[in-house]
């Protein structure tokens, strides 16, 4: 297997020895330092799943373009609807602060005011669900001008895959970040 040495290297870089399959390293996929693992094990690391944990599911963080394109193709066969506000929605947002810490290269909890603002913001988004992404108060990622629905090529996959209705993907002329919807 041509990928076996890369897989062993990826796992070793994450502190795991004797890994012979992507499945054995699946629990490491969402680590911020797992770029090589996501590159080698795209399917296992859910780079091909349009609804799974969007943080770091971009080429700059290891997911290959072919895997991300597969996620979009997979989406097109589903009904175009927002994901429910459930445990998966909450889990998605629970992963935001650790990923943001990595992306910024700093622990945001050290900035008490900023951190508390983010926690309040996250609580509101968790409670409101996908419709929050269409609200001007919640439309943009908290550290900049990136729209959640559009994603960020260095940080997270477009949330339009998770919330296509709230992101305007059913419009007559949907935004370019929208997956192909068949409502």
């Amino acid at each position: 297997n041509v990928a076996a040495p890369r897989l062993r290297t990826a796992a070793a870089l994450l502190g795991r020895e004797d890994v012979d399959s992507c499945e054995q390293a699946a629990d490491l996929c969402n680590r911020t330092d797992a770029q090589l693992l996501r590159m080698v094990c795209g399917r296992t690391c859910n780079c091909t799943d349009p609804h799974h944990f969007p943080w770091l599911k971009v080429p700059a963080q290891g997911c290959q373009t072919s895997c991300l394109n597969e996620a979009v193709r997979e989406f097109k066969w589903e009904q175009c609807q927002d994901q429910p506000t459930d445990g998966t929605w909450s889990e998605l947002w629970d992963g935001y602060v650790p990923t943001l810490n990595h992306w910024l290269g700093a622990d945001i909890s050290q900035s008490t005011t900023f951190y508390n603002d983010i926690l309040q913001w996250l609580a509101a988004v968790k409670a409101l669900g996908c419709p929050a992404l269409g609200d001007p108060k919640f439309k943009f990622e908290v550290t900049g001008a990136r729209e959640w629905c559009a994603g960020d090529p260095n940080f997270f996959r477009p949330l339009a895959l998770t919330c296509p209705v709230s992101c305007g993907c059913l419009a007559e002329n949907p935004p370019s970040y929208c997956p192909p919807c068949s409502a």
Side-chain angles (χ1 to χ4, degrees):
N1 182 344
V2 174
R6 289 186 189 121
L7 170 61
R8 284 193 291 278
T9 299
L13 288 170
L14 298 169
R16 183 81 52 86
E17 303 294 329
D18 301 323
V19 170
D20 296 315
S21 72
C22 289
E23 290 74 21
Q24 291 175 330
D27 61 307
L28 304 173
C29 287
N30 288 332
R31 284 186 41 175
T32 55
D33 56 349
Q35 291 94 336
L36 183 57
L37 183 63
R38 285 187 288 275
M39 184 183 303
V40 175
C41 300
R43 185 173 303 282
T44 301
C45 289
N46 294 302
C47 293
T48 59
D49 184 341
H51 301 301
H52 194 269
F53 198 76
W55 319 126
L56 309 173
K57 299 304 188 291
V58 291
Q61 298 297 330
C63 284
Q64 294 189 41
T65 302
S66 60
C67 289
L68 297 170
N69 288 342
E70 186 176 328
V72 172
R73 283 191 307 276
E74 178 95 10
F75 183 93
K76 110 169 83 171
W77 300 111
E78 298 176 12
Q79 182 136 15
C80 191
Q81 59 187 348
D82 287 351
Q83 295 302 299
T85 304
D86 58 10
T88 302
W89 177 256
S90 242
E91 187 179 304
L92 177 156
W93 293 105
D94 288 343
Y96 176 66
V97 170
T99 307
L100 182 61
N101 283 338
H102 169 74
W103 194 71
L104 293 174
D107 181 357
I108 62 170
S109 69
Q110 300 303 308
S111 172
T112 309
T113 304
F114 181 58
Y115 184 62
N116 287 336
D117 289 348
I118 288 178
L119 292 181
Q120 288 175 0
W121 186 93
L122 285 171
V125 169
K126 284 181 184 182
L128 294 170
C130 283
L133 302 182
D135 184 320
K137 290 186 297 202
F138 303 109
K139 187 175 185 168
F140 295 95
E141 199 270 326
V142 298
T143 64
R146 294 177 297 275
E147 263 190 77
W148 289 113
C149 291
D152 180 288
N154 296 307
F155 187 22
F156 60 95
R157 158 179 27 220
L159 292 188
L161 289 167
T162 303
C163 302
V165 174
S166 295
C167 289
C169 298
L170 293 181
E172 189 172 319
N173 294 308
S176 63
Y177 53 71
C178 284
C181 280
S182 56

